[in-house]
């Protein structure tokens, strides 16, 4: 069983469209995250979310919004897509601060905006 | 400004040697530091976590040190193998950061030649 699964794996779309990326974890973790990895391979935190609070990295445009229907899911919605949004997006989860097992990442969604 | 710096140049070593990767950080007071491995087209995979009150942590052929005075962590792979070739990322959570938002360095690519 895949611990953190993302769909789709690849997403090609036109500028201006709205798209969603889904993420599910079956680890029973309390906190889920979205990261963006750009062409230079830097991983940047976008959101941290548990059932109590949403933490947003201040550099993330408000066109990006996480939606969590339940503890096991954290979907990423992107409105009015721009060329600069092209990147690989990773979902991750953890059981809390100081988790000795670290974060568990999904395999990524490669978004290409044309 | 806060920075996590890893050597952006690839590290090439011969099989059987010890690989040593460096992670330096500025303007952080992390509660702990983590190391991850990332293979092309995959998400990062957690390797080791070391807390601020620990000097050294070992796991099989891996060893991590953490010097909070120097603000530096070293990651060692002993008896390296070609299968160890990957990008290695260090990451930390600031001591009093809400949301456990793990922040990553840019990674160092390791190439182990047979």
């Amino acid at each position: 069983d895949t611990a953190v699964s993302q769909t789709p794996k690849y997403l090609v779309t036109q500028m201006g469209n709205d798209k969603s990326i889904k993420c599910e974890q079956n680890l029973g973790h309390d906190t889920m995250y979205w990261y963006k990895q750009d062409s230079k391979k830097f991983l940047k935190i976008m959101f941290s979310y548990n059932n109590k609070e949403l933490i947003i990295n201040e550099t993330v445009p408000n066109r990006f919004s996480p939606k969590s229907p339940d503890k096991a899911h954290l979907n990423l919605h992107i409105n009015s897509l721009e060329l600069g949004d092209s990147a690989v997006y990773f979902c991750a989860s953890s059981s809390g601060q100081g988790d000795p097992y670290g974060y568990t990442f999904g395999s990524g969604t490669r978004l290409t905006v044309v | 400004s806060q920075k996590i710096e890893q050597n952006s140049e690839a590290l090439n070593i011969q099989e059987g040697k010890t690989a040593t990767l460096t992670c330096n950080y500025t303007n952080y007071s992390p509660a702990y530091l983590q190391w991850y491995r990332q293979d092309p087209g995959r998400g990062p995979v957690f390797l080791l976590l070391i807390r601020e009150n620990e000097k050294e942590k070992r796991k099989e052929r891996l060893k991590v040190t953490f010097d909070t005075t120097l603000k530096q962590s070293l990651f060692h792979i002993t008896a390296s193998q070609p299968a160890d070739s990957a990008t290695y990322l260090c990451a930390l959570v600031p001591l009093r950061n809400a949301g456990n938002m793990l922040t990553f360095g840019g990674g160092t690519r390791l190439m182990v030649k047979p």
Side-chain angles (χ1 to χ4, degrees):
Chain A
D1 284 341
T2 303
V4 178
S5 59
Q6 297 178 228
T7 54
K9 188 169 178 65
Y10 300 97
L11 181 56
V12 181
T13 188
Q14 292 186 325
M15 279 174 41
N17 283 351
D18 303 338
K19 289 293 180 184
S20 296
I21 305 172
K22 294 184 177 180
C23 178
E24 176 182 4
Q25 55 99 0
N26 63 6
L27 299 167
H29 284 168
D30 296 320
T31 309
M32 298 182 70
Y33 314 84
W34 278 103
Y35 281 82
K36 177 182 180 180
Q37 189 168 43
D38 60 24
S39 58
K40 295 183 178 180
K41 305 301 183 185
F42 277 97
L43 263 172
K44 295 181 181 177
I45 181 71
M46 300 177 71
F47 304 101
S48 164
Y49 182 80
N50 63 24
N51 60 2
K52 296 179 182 179
E53 64 179 335
L54 170 66
I55 307 293
I56 303 171
N57 186 321
E58 61 186 11
T59 65
V60 175
N62 57 16
R63 296 181 295 103
F64 291 79
S65 59
K67 296 284 194 306
S68 180
D70 56 57
K71 182 180 169 180
H73 297 83
L74 185 66
N75 303 325
L76 182 65
H77 296 268
I78 316 170
N79 295 326
S80 303
L81 278 154
E82 301 178 357
L83 293 176
D85 297 332
S86 296
V88 180
Y89 292 84
F90 288 99
C91 177
S93 70
S94 76
S95 63
Q97 190 168 18
D99 184 349
Y101 302 104
Y103 286 27
T104 303
F105 282 80
S107 58
T109 296
R110 181 175 293 277
L111 171 65
T112 304
V113 182
V114 298
Chain B
S1 62
Q2 296 175 317
K3 291 183 181 178
I4 305 171
E5 296 182 313
Q6 297 183 253
N7 193 339
S8 59
E9 295 183 8
L11 176 63
N12 294 294
I13 65 168
Q14 203 66 34
E15 182 176 8
K17 301 292 185 182
T18 295
T20 298
L21 286 70
T22 304
C23 176
N24 294 296
Y25 58 92
T26 57
N27 295 326
Y28 283 105
S29 295
Y32 55 90
L33 188 145
Q34 302 182 14
W35 283 87
Y36 288 77
R37 169 183 174 145
Q38 186 173 25
D39 291 284
R42 309 292 292 272
V45 175
F46 172 73
L47 296 174
L48 280 169
L49 177 151
I50 186 166
R51 302 183 190 280
E52 58 171 341
N53 60 352
E54 297 175 319
K55 296 294 185 185
E56 182 179 298
K57 183 73 71 75
R58 293 177 183 261
K59 178 183 176 183
E60 298 173 352
R61 294 185 295 113
L62 308 180
K63 185 179 82 171
V64 171
T65 64
F66 192 14
D67 190 325
T68 56
T69 301
L70 292 178
K71 295 187 181 294
Q72 180 181 80
S73 176
L74 299 179
F75 177 80
H76 306 272
I77 306 176
T78 58
S80 60
Q81 304 166 359
D84 295 327
S85 298
T87 296
Y88 291 87
L89 303 158
C90 72
L92 56 83
V93 175
L95 186 61
R96 284 168 288 277
N97 181 44
N100 307 320
M101 292 170 68
L102 199 60
T103 302
F104 283 83
T108 298
R109 187 178 177 197
L110 173 66
M111 298 288 290
V112 181
K113 298 181 180 179

